[in-house]
Amino acid sequence: MARRAVNGPDQESDFLDIVAAAQDAALDPKKWRCVTELVARAMGGHSAGIFLHDAQTFEPLIIDGWRLNLDHCAAYKEYYHKHDVWYQRGKHLPTGTVATGSQIAPRKMLLASEIYHDMFVEDQIEDLLTCVLVRSERYNGHISVLYPDPLD
C-alpha cells in the first residue's frame, strides 16, 4: 500500500484535535464537517465524509464532510448509494474495520461502476480509506478519507 505523508511532529497535536472535535460533534452534528477535515488532512486525503445509513433499509440518513460535492451528496442519498460498490460490498463489515477501496471491491469493479463515471471522476475520487464506526441493528456508520489516486 502506498504511504501518505502525515504531519510529522504535529501527529500528537493532530490526534488530540480530532478527538476534541469528535467529542464536540457528538453533541452538535453540524460540527462533523470539522472532524472530517481534520481526519482528511491528518491522513493526506483531499476530502472526507461521514456516512450514517439505516441498518435495515441501507438508506443514507446522514452524509456530511469536508470538500464533498453537495450536488453529488444529494444524488447519492437519492440514487447512487444503491450503486456504490464500496458501500454495497462493505456494508456488512464489523465495527472497527479499516480498509482501502481496493480491499472492499476490486479496482476493476470500481472502474466499471456507474457511480465512478457519474461522480467519482468529476470529484477526483480514485480510492478511499474507510473506518467502520458503528455496525448495529439500527445504524451503519463510517468515516472515509478520499484520495485522488489509488492507494496501492
Side-chain angles (χ1 to χ4, degrees), residues 87-100:
Y87 178 67
Q88 292 302 320
R89 290 181 55 104
K91 65 186 175 189
H92 299 294
L93 294 173
T95 300
T97 299
V98 176
T100 65

Side-chain angles (χ1 to χ4, degrees), residues 69-77 80 118-120 122-123:
N69 180 319
L70 296 180
D71 291 335
H72 286 174
C73 288
Y76 185 90
K77 275 185 161 181
Y80 284 97
D118 292 355
M119 294 169 62
F120 292 174
E122 180 181 335
D123 294 341

